[in-house]
Amino acid sequence: MAARRMSSLLSSSTTSTLLRSLGNYAGRGNGTSRFSTAAALEEPITPPVTIEHTKLLINGQFVDAASGKTFPTLDPRTGQLIANVAEGDIEDVNRAVAAARKAFDEGPWPRMTAYERSKILLRFADLVEKNADEIAALEAWDNGKPYEQATSDEIPLFIRLFRYYAGWADKIHGLTIQADGPHHVQTLHEPIGVAGQIIPWNFPLLMFSWKVGPALACGNTIVLKTAEQTPLSALYVARLFHEAGLPPGVLNIVSGYGPSAGAALASHMDVDKLAFTGSTQTGKIVLGLAAKSNLKPVTLELGGKSPFIVCEDANVDEAVDLAHAALFYNQGQCCCAGSRTFVHERVYDEFVEKAKARALKRVVGDPFRKGVEQGPQVDSEQFDKILKYIKSGVDSGATLETGGQRFGSNGYYVQPTVFSNVQDDMLIAKDEIFGPVQTILKFKDINEVIRRSNATQFGLAAGVFTQNLDTANTLTRALKAGTVWVNCFDVFDAAIPFGGYKMSGHGREKGIYSLNNYLQVKAVVTHLKNPAWL
């Protein structure tokens, strides 16, 4: 999901103390606005949730950071304070890893039956379902995504992931292997131990589920670092895990910054496995820290610049709607966003006009207001970066069809932006913008679009829109990407693996494939004396 400057190991947030925001709960009104109006200037709606958990979770207890430090998590709608959260550091990571190690080496979690583990995961999923509205409100408040998106899309997927992996817990087993001599050979699939996990800010809960679900199903213990921009929802659901019966020390959560908490986790000598979702640049650093410490295996879900290919036989109206969703979903803050929209020259002009019209209709505003499609970007750093890329697009000669500016005067809102006449060598066609900026490129034939689509360091995902089965088959096999969606996009079923080619990462998350990330395979060979058969 996937991941995107997701939980950057080396990113930093502002540390200045800001005024508290929001007044009394105003309800979810109907006064939505198009992006060309001032919906973002309206008085922010107070989210229907109370902040209860701002401390670190270590060994089953919410505790202050060893240093006593805190950092602010900010409301992207206003830039004002939501809460101060405990700032974990190296000492806190050490405490968390020690708790996870003891829980794995001495505790009941890896020793209870897989069926008992599955029941705890199922109880947890039930508790999340019961508290879904509050959890969705935390996610929307801390991240800026539409509350309706969190409730209708993300929380149901989160619940489904844990129920899916609860089903896998008692179905993990090895093989019996025929040997060439008098030996009985079997393989054991064992939990790998203490898993370190670093999750991003764009889909905090979904990335939590993608990592925590399979790790727990396999019997591991966990130290998880949240993104400093979005620490709140993980702490909330962690409390529900303990209500469900998870033993102390099995899941530990450290909030904090990348250079301190993130680096300490990646380089820790007593962490057996590391999983990271974030930018490609930071992924390289994480991989290096893991290698320099104890050579722990690393799963990486990194950046993308995914092609969305509209073929000449496409229904243009349907293609416009799908391409719009592929790019603008979650404010464009998706690792797999269809951020290079390749359109066949025969339908290019029609597509551009309709894409522009669709962007102009996009509803931007307070994510807690009913009907809003797009909220603010996550923080000022992301906001500034997007506007710089937009300026780069204009300066490089692309045609700005619509948008291109800040939306309103408060918070981190960006107008839905569409560029046409984009060339492959422009930064907006090469770099991961991670924002609501659609770039539309023209192509002539299938061989050309295959070559241009693959001419990137990334290989996370791709989209193909065509009515021709032969065209679809040709493209799906030729595109160098971990996922290819045909006449659909952003389908994230729990059973479908997700991951990248090239510099978009290593390994796969979700589905049966993710279990391999958290298991060791042991071969056991026993000599047979006078066997009746071989």
Side-chain angles (χ1 to χ4, degrees):
M1 82 178 135
R4 148 203 68 303
R5 320 310 269 196
M6 296 182 136
S7 142
S8 170
L9 182 71
L10 298 182
S11 65
S12 63
S13 297
T14 177
T15 55
S16 60
T17 302
L18 301 172
L19 297 174
R20 279 190 189 277
S21 63
L22 313 177
N24 295 328
Y25 178 49
R28 293 168 60 201
N30 295 317
T32 57
S33 303
R34 304 309 180 189
F35 88 73
S36 58
T37 64
L41 299 179
E42 298 174 2
E43 185 68 20
I45 295 172
T46 303
V49 63
T50 301
I51 308 299
E52 297 180 1
H53 302 293
T54 59
K55 297 183 178 183
L56 312 178
L57 177 66
I58 298 177
N59 202 29
Q61 301 293 322
F62 286 103
V63 297
D64 291 321
S67 66
K69 292 182 180 179
T70 62
F71 67 94
T73 184
L74 306 178
D75 186 341
R77 302 174 301 169
T78 62
Q80 294 182 336
L81 183 70
I82 297 176
N84 287 304
V85 179
E87 182 183 333
D89 210 328
I90 296 175
E91 184 175 347
D92 302 296
V93 170
N94 289 338
R95 289 193 294 163
V97 172
R101 173 57 60 193
K102 184 175 182 179
F104 185 78
D105 289 348
E106 304 175 20
W109 184 248
R111 292 160 185 80
M112 68 173 63
T113 66
Y115 177 56
E116 289 299 318
R117 288 201 299 271
S118 75
K119 289 197 294 184
I120 290 175
L121 293 177
L122 289 171
R123 285 197 295 269
F124 169 70
D126 291 344
L127 287 169
V128 171
E129 196 166 49
K130 182 179 178 181
N131 294 274
D133 289 344
E134 286 193 349
I135 297 168
L138 274 181
E139 193 82 333
W141 193 4
D142 216 9
N143 172 273
K145 66 181 67 216
Y147 176 69
E148 290 178 341
Q149 172 187 313
T151 55
S152 65
D153 297 352
E154 297 180 26
I155 301 302
L157 279 173
F158 180 92
I159 294 166
R160 178 68 179 97
L161 258 294
F162 277 100
R163 288 175 175 160
Y164 175 84
Y165 284 112
W168 266 114
D170 59 358
K171 299 170 186 66
I172 298 169
H173 54 76
L175 301 172
T176 300
I177 300 171
Q178 188 71 38
D180 289 338
H183 299 94
H184 173 77
V185 182
Q186 67 184 58
T187 58
L188 302 177
H189 290 184
E190 301 179 345
I192 200 166
V194 176
Q197 300 178 332
I198 301 174
I199 62 172
W201 51 256
N202 61 337
F203 292 102
L205 281 175
L206 284 181
M207 297 302 102
F208 179 104
S209 67
W210 288 18
K211 290 175 172 54
V212 172
L216 291 184
C218 293
N220 298 282
T221 59
I222 297 168
V223 178
L224 181 141
K225 180 202 170 293
T226 54
E228 59 265 34
Q229 298 90 339
T230 54
L232 298 176
S233 57
L235 295 171
Y236 186 106
V237 298
R239 174 180 63 82
L240 300 182
F241 245 130
H242 287 90
E243 286 185 26
L246 191 72
V250 174
L251 174 63
N252 306 273
I253 297 180
V254 178
S255 308
Y257 293 104
S260 49
L265 185 59
S267 60
H268 204 290
M269 292 295 293
D270 211 19
V271 170
D272 301 305
K273 157 73 186 178
L274 190 66
F276 170 81
T277 296
S279 70
T280 296
Q281 179 182 4
T282 306
K284 291 180 180 180
I285 297 170
V286 168
L287 194 61
L289 291 172
K292 291 177 182 178
S293 53
N294 59 348
L295 274 178
K296 60 179 73 64
V298 182
T299 303
L300 298 172
E301 199 265 283
L302 306 176
K305 192 68 176 177
S306 301
F308 183 98
I309 301 170
V310 180
C311 298
E312 62 181 311
D313 64 344
N315 180 308
V316 174
D317 290 333
E318 293 177 359
V320 165
D321 285 342
L322 189 58
H324 180 88
L327 186 282
F328 289 101
Y329 187 77
N330 203 52
Q331 292 72 252
Q333 296 169 157
C334 297
C335 56
C336 59
S339 52
R340 288 184 295 156
T341 307
F342 286 99
V343 181
H344 193 276
E345 62 182 2
R346 291 184 182 176
V347 295
Y348 185 84
D349 291 342
E350 180 185 1
F351 185 95
V352 168
E353 285 303 311
K354 291 182 175 180
K356 173 183 176 180
R358 177 62 183 91
L360 284 165
K361 293 178 181 178
R362 188 165 183 80
V363 183
V364 183
D366 190 319
F368 286 96
R369 194 171 301 284
K370 185 176 178 61
V372 163
E373 297 176 281
Q374 181 177 315
Q377 309 308 129
V378 72
D379 62 11
S380 60
E381 180 180 351
Q382 189 67 16
F383 172 84
D384 291 340
K385 179 174 77 78
I386 293 165
L387 292 181
K388 288 179 181 178
Y389 273 114
I390 291 172
K391 183 178 184 301
S392 169
V394 172
D395 292 344
S396 63
T399 301
L400 179 62
E401 297 286 346
T402 187
Q405 298 180 19
R406 178 179 196 147
F407 174 69
S409 58
N410 295 321
Y412 310 128
Y413 296 86
V414 176
Q415 292 177 346
T417 299
V418 176
F419 280 104
S420 65
N421 298 315
V422 178
Q423 304 303 314
D424 293 348
D425 60 352
M426 296 178 179
L427 287 180
I428 59 172
K430 296 193 299 182
D431 291 0
E432 186 180 33
I433 300 173
F434 225 55
V437 182
Q438 184 176 33
T439 61
I440 308 177
L441 304 92
K442 184 186 297 185
F443 74 93
K444 293 182 179 180
D445 60 56
I446 193 169
N447 290 326
E448 174 197 333
V449 79
I450 289 170
R451 174 181 55 79
R452 292 170 63 192
S453 295
N454 290 334
T456 174
Q457 64 178 327
F458 300 115
L460 192 57
V464 173
F465 202 86
T466 180
Q467 300 180 53
N468 187 299
L469 182 59
D470 291 334
T471 299
N473 285 334
T474 297
L475 287 168
T476 54
R477 284 159 175 74
L479 293 170
K480 304 300 183 184
T483 299
V484 180
W485 287 292
V486 180
N487 297 332
C488 60
F489 209 87
D490 283 346
V491 178
F492 288 109
D493 189 278
I496 301 173
F498 186 81
Y501 286 23
K502 298 186 282 189
M503 293 180 72
S504 287
H506 298 161
R508 294 295 180 268
E509 296 191 293
K510 298 195 295 105
I512 187 174
Y513 294 90
S514 68
L515 298 172
N516 297 330
N517 299 330
Y518 298 100
L519 293 169
Q520 290 277 27
V521 178
K522 177 184 290 182
V524 179
V525 184
T526 305
H527 178 70
L528 298 175
K529 185 175 182 180
N530 299 321
W533 54 269
L534 286 177

